[in-house]
Amino acid sequence: MSKKLAVVILNWNGKNWLEKFLPSVIHFSQDADVYVIDNLSTDDSLEYLNTNFPTVKIIKNDKNYGFAGGYNVGLKQIKTEYFCLLNSDVEVTENWINPVIELFEKKPEVSAIQPKVLSYNNKNHFEFAGAGGGLIDNLGYPYCRGRVFDDVEEDHGQYNDETEIFWASGCCFFIRSKDFWEQNGFDERFFAHQEEIDLCWRLINTGKKIYYTGKSTVYHVGGGTLNKQSAQKTYLNIRNNLSMMLKNLPFPKLIELIFFRLCLDGVAGIYFGFKYGFPHLWAVVRAHFGFYAQLPGTWKLRQKKQIDHFYQSKWLIFKHFL
């Protein structure tokens, strides 16, 4: 008999992460079914799972669909009330599940929840991907409570609350299965990066809420597939962010904001070029052409209704850097 929650790890050549972190997931997830969706790994991940963790349910995708597509394809085979989409490089802790399920049951309007995300390598600091809950500024730049761009805070219990946020981190992403499928899951064209923000934005546009609970804590390594300095990550983040805004912004703000962001991206490209090298400058150029190539399909995915007041901070990039 299946349980109310499925903890689902997407794997691609991640045997080392599974060795390191899967034991804690199994130990602290007795009230959940644990799945691994494999994106056609070429290492011996599956042999390792079959030999060492026979209770883990394995779903085999027929190719590497990326983060977004990999989950969309694999989750179709899982029937449960709640999904927890968990990165393979996350260490969970005792009682990490109960506060989330209790919050879902207390607030039926909530579609997705994330726990407190701390750094595995520096455990008294927040981690880049999620920290104390995701927010967005009026220019469409995502940031977190506890992390603004590359600057992260030390954890002093300042985000031990339960509060509404704008987006929940994909590294540990709890969501009601019915809400996931009502939105047709992640946008598979994103491949990876910001697909969870796009999904949360779509849910908010339909009247749903996204929440954070500091009563649950996980530790995230970060950069398990693409490290922070990857030019491909720069490309995906910029392309996907522009597509996300095109899909979800109300029309008057969309015209104003997209043009402004394209100009700011040009400045960012020069900055990245000096800081990280030419591949990152070129990644920004490629991201814009990738956005234009997807534009007709993205426009078709615009929802009928978009909220006007989507941001919690204004002009974050100028406040932070200037």
Side-chain angles (χ1 to χ4, degrees):
M1 181 177 178
S2 63
K3 299 175 183 177
K4 185 178 288 189
L5 171 70
V7 177
V8 189
I9 298 169
L10 185 68
N11 176 66
W12 181 71
N13 292 341
K15 178 191 171 187
N16 292 340
W17 297 121
L18 296 173
E19 285 179 324
K20 191 173 184 69
F21 295 117
L22 187 55
S24 76
V25 175
I26 294 171
H27 182 69
F28 292 123
S29 307
Q30 299 299 314
D31 294 331
D33 291 314
V34 179
Y35 289 81
V36 170
I37 299 173
D38 188 74
N39 256 347
L40 199 63
S41 294
T42 55
D43 65 0
D44 56 348
S45 298
L46 296 183
E47 292 84 351
Y48 172 75
L49 289 171
N50 285 322
T51 301
N52 295 280
F53 300 104
T55 62
V56 172
K57 300 173 175 64
I58 299 173
I59 295 171
K60 300 177 184 178
N61 287 345
D62 59 354
K63 66 178 183 179
N64 180 8
Y65 289 94
F67 184 94
Y71 270 122
N72 282 0
V73 172
L75 290 176
K76 290 176 182 176
Q77 300 185 45
I78 302 175
K79 307 301 179 186
T80 190
E81 187 172 353
Y82 306 111
F83 296 134
C84 172
L85 312 185
L86 186 70
N87 278 17
S88 58
D89 61 343
V90 170
E91 178 185 65
V92 302
T93 61
E94 187 174 2
N95 196 41
W96 72 293
I97 289 174
N98 287 341
V100 177
I101 301 302
E102 289 171 3
L103 186 53
F104 272 132
E105 294 180 347
K106 183 170 64 177
K107 293 183 176 292
E109 72 276 16
V110 173
S111 287
I113 300 171
Q114 77 153 78
K116 180 192 290 188
V117 183
L118 298 177
S119 169
Y120 178 78
N121 295 313
N122 191 3
K123 290 195 170 183
N124 62 340
H125 281 73
F126 287 94
E127 210 280 317
F128 184 88
L135 303 171
I136 200 165
D137 86 335
N138 64 317
L139 297 178
Y141 289 111
Y143 66 103
C144 306
R145 301 192 312 159
R147 190 273 296 173
V148 178
F149 294 106
D150 288 339
D151 293 338
V152 296
E153 296 177 23
E154 189 171 355
D155 177 26
H156 298 293
Q158 67 270 41
Y159 304 120
N160 284 353
D161 55 351
E162 288 186 337
T163 187
E164 187 174 355
I165 55 176
F166 190 80
W167 57 272
S169 171
C171 81
C172 186
F173 185 85
F174 289 84
I175 187 166
R176 298 181 193 271
S177 58
K178 67 179 181 63
D179 290 335
F180 185 85
W181 294 122
E182 280 177 4
Q183 291 297 322
N184 297 312
F186 294 123
D187 187 335
E188 296 182 16
R189 302 169 314 148
F190 280 34
F191 191 78
H193 296 295
Q194 300 202 29
E195 65 288 307
E196 79 270 41
I197 306 177
D198 169 63
L199 176 56
C200 289
W201 202 336
R202 286 185 275 139
L203 287 164
I204 290 170
N205 277 339
T206 65
K208 301 292 186 178
K209 293 185 177 181
I210 315 299
Y211 254 72
Y212 162 89
T213 175
K215 296 178 181 178
S216 170
T217 299
V218 301
Y219 295 93
H220 184 214
V221 175
T225 304
L226 287 176
N227 68 49
K228 253 170 52 174
Q229 312 308 330
S230 164
Q232 182 65 6
K233 188 168 186 174
T234 299
Y235 165 77
L236 290 170
N237 270 317
I238 291 177
R239 185 199 66 178
N240 294 349
N241 185 263
L242 291 170
S243 292
M244 175 177 69
M245 290 193 296
L246 180 60
K247 288 168 64 175
N248 295 297
L249 278 170
F251 191 74
K253 281 190 172 68
L254 174 66
I255 300 302
E256 166 192 341
L257 192 52
I258 286 287
F259 175 75
F260 195 30
R261 275 295 307 276
L262 292 174
C263 296
L264 283 175
D265 285 350
V267 175
I270 296 170
Y271 170 77
F272 291 153
F274 279 113
K275 187 171 182 179
Y276 302 122
F278 177 77
H280 287 266
L281 170 60
W282 182 238
V284 175
V285 176
R286 290 194 300 117
H288 281 207
F289 282 107
F291 166 66
Y292 300 140
Q294 289 185 346
L295 197 150
T298 304
W299 185 260
K300 292 178 182 178
L301 293 174
R302 275 181 61 81
Q303 293 174 301
K304 294 179 180 178
K305 180 182 177 183
Q306 294 86 20
I307 59 169
D308 283 321
H309 303 292
F310 62 93
Y311 55 87
Q312 286 73 28
S313 180
K314 296 185 74 172
W315 312 109
L316 188 69
I317 190 169
F318 297 106
K319 291 176 182 177
H320 184 75
F321 289 107
L322 300 181

